[in-house]
Amino acid sequence: MLLDFLSYHETVKGHSQGTVDEYFLDLRGFFRYLQYRRGLVPADTAIDQISIQNIDIDFLRTVTLSEIYDYLSYLTREGHLNNASRARKVSTLRSFFKYLSTKTHLLEDNPVDGLDTPKVKKDLPRYLTLDESIQLLESVSGKNLERDYCILTLFLNCGLRISELVNLNLTNVQGDTLRVLGKGNKVRILYLNDACKMAIQDWLIVRNSMTLIDEDALFVTSHRTRITRAGVHKMVKKRLTEAGLDASLYSSHKLRHTAATLMLQNGVDVRTLQEVLGHDHLNTTQIYTHIDNDDLRIAARANPLASVHKKTPEEKGDL
């Protein structure tokens, strides 16, 4: 049952292994707590040692909304659970019980129907300015110059996720387009500007001169294997430091934010940006519309009503 649910999310929903692992850990913790709360295990048993092998559909039919709220309260008390983590666990429980009630029809009643989702404050994403982005690119030198410059260029121009970048194959580059496999195994086609095409061209000259172990990978290491997420993270931090930027404030994901912000600031509408970034929902993209933007200030001042104000009695001539 639990394995079927996890398999469903990995194969049908196309979720990453990391997401599926989080689902498992969230549900395992919930099942352990229920057994502990109901007194189904010896009182001196450590909660993280409780087996979930005996959890079956009959057990799940007895779960109540009150127990779910108790579980969330327990997590907040014991683990200092913040709203973001709480919201993720709520999402996991919603997904699991919805699967049992609407997909497999093993449950007649869904205990989470009335479950409230915690409000999560969304901080504005941190990003590099245009000048800082240029500074980063112009500072790239030395070993792996062409590869690193190309990776940074794609991050800053295309807004790729790091998982999308490391999974790029040589065949994904087709003329002036880049075929990207995003979240949920959804494919999107990005158009490459001149900077991206030149950076890829320069990197391919170096790449194609190497005898590769992974002949499909677009980006490889000096060991001739596909570059990893950890390798990209390390490279980005190194290049940020070399550019004189604070590497503790930025990451490969912040470069994605930078691409989104720069595009929005320079006339790309939010719907188009949604397509470029591969967001399922527009509200995910709209966070960028709230970023402090000098262009927005200029637009406000340019409104012909900008100088209209309420007249004082002196201005009206009432005195």
Side-chain angles (χ1 to χ4, degrees), residues 36 41-51:
Y36 183 82
V41 294
D44 60 350
T45 305
I47 198 166
D48 60 355
Q49 297 298 315
I50 297 174
S51 171

Side-chain angles (χ1 to χ4, degrees), residues 170-184:
L170 186 61
T171 54
N172 292 137
V173 180
Q174 299 174 354
D176 65 347
T177 65
L178 185 67
R179 184 178 183 273
V180 178
L181 183 63
K183 282 188 174 181

Side-chain angles (χ1 to χ4, degrees), residues 141-316:
S141 61
K143 185 179 178 182
N144 297 318
L145 186 160
E146 291 84 3
R147 184 201 67 187
D148 294 357
Y149 185 89
C150 186
I151 289 175
L152 294 174
T153 297
L154 290 180
F155 275 141
L156 289 168
N157 282 273
C158 300
L160 296 179
R161 300 179 177 94
I162 188 170
S163 59
E164 295 170 345
L165 182 127
V166 299
N167 288 325
L168 286 175
N169 289 327
L170 186 61
T171 54
N172 292 137
V173 180
Q174 299 174 354
D176 65 347
T177 65
L178 185 67
R179 184 178 183 273
V180 178
L181 183 63
K183 282 188 174 181
N185 289 326
K186 294 180 180 178
V187 175
R188 68 185 188 278
I189 303 297
L190 299 179
Y191 287 90
L192 301 170
N193 58 28
D194 288 342
C196 291
K197 287 188 288 186
M198 291 178 64
I200 291 174
Q201 185 179 49
D202 290 343
W203 161 237
L204 287 182
I205 293 173
V206 176
R207 178 198 177 280
N208 293 342
S209 68
M210 303 168 66
T211 303
L212 301 177
I213 294 174
D214 188 337
E215 296 181 351
D216 294 327
L218 178 59
F219 293 110
V220 295
T221 68
S222 56
H223 298 294
R224 300 171 291 127
T225 58
R226 183 183 295 270
I227 198 167
T228 63
R229 292 169 62 104
V232 173
H233 275 305
K234 183 177 180 181
M235 180 277 289
V236 169
K237 294 290 187 182
K238 174 176 177 286
R239 294 302 187 181
L240 285 165
T241 300
E242 291 172 347
L245 300 168
D246 189 344
S248 67
L249 298 178
Y250 302 102
S251 62
S252 58
H253 199 65
K254 297 299 186 292
L255 301 187
R256 172 173 161 86
H257 292 328
T258 299
T261 304
L262 293 178
M263 281 187 271
L264 196 64
Q265 288 177 344
N266 287 273
V268 176
D269 67 87
V270 70
R271 287 284 184 184
T272 302
L273 184 59
Q274 179 188 2
E275 294 294 323
V276 171
L277 297 178
H279 286 158
D280 285 334
H281 305 291
L282 185 63
N283 60 0
T284 307
T285 314
Q286 284 176 329
I287 188 171
Y288 296 105
T289 65
H290 302 295
I291 293 173
D292 187 27
N293 186 343
D294 287 338
D295 290 343
L296 299 182
R297 288 197 179 93
I298 294 170
R301 291 195 295 267
N303 191 302
L305 295 175
S307 60
V308 175
H309 61 278
K310 183 179 180 181
K311 289 185 177 180
T312 65
E314 291 87 348
E315 290 173 321
K316 289 181 179 180

Side-chain angles (χ1 to χ4, degrees), residues 35-86:
Q35 293 181 82
Y36 183 82
R37 182 181 185 275
R38 294 179 179 185
L40 301 178
V41 294
D44 60 350
T45 305
I47 198 166
D48 60 355
Q49 297 298 315
I50 297 174
S51 171
I52 64 170
Q53 295 297 321
N54 58 330
I55 301 297
D56 57 20
I57 194 61
D58 290 330
F59 181 92
L60 293 173
R61 288 192 179 109
T62 65
V63 173
T64 66
L65 181 59
S66 175
E67 286 180 318
I68 294 173
Y69 277 124
D70 286 345
Y71 172 61
L72 295 174
S73 296
Y74 161 78
L75 290 174
T76 302
R77 292 193 309 269
E78 300 297 322
H80 308 289
L81 194 67
N82 59 34
N83 269 11
S85 298
R86 181 185 173 98

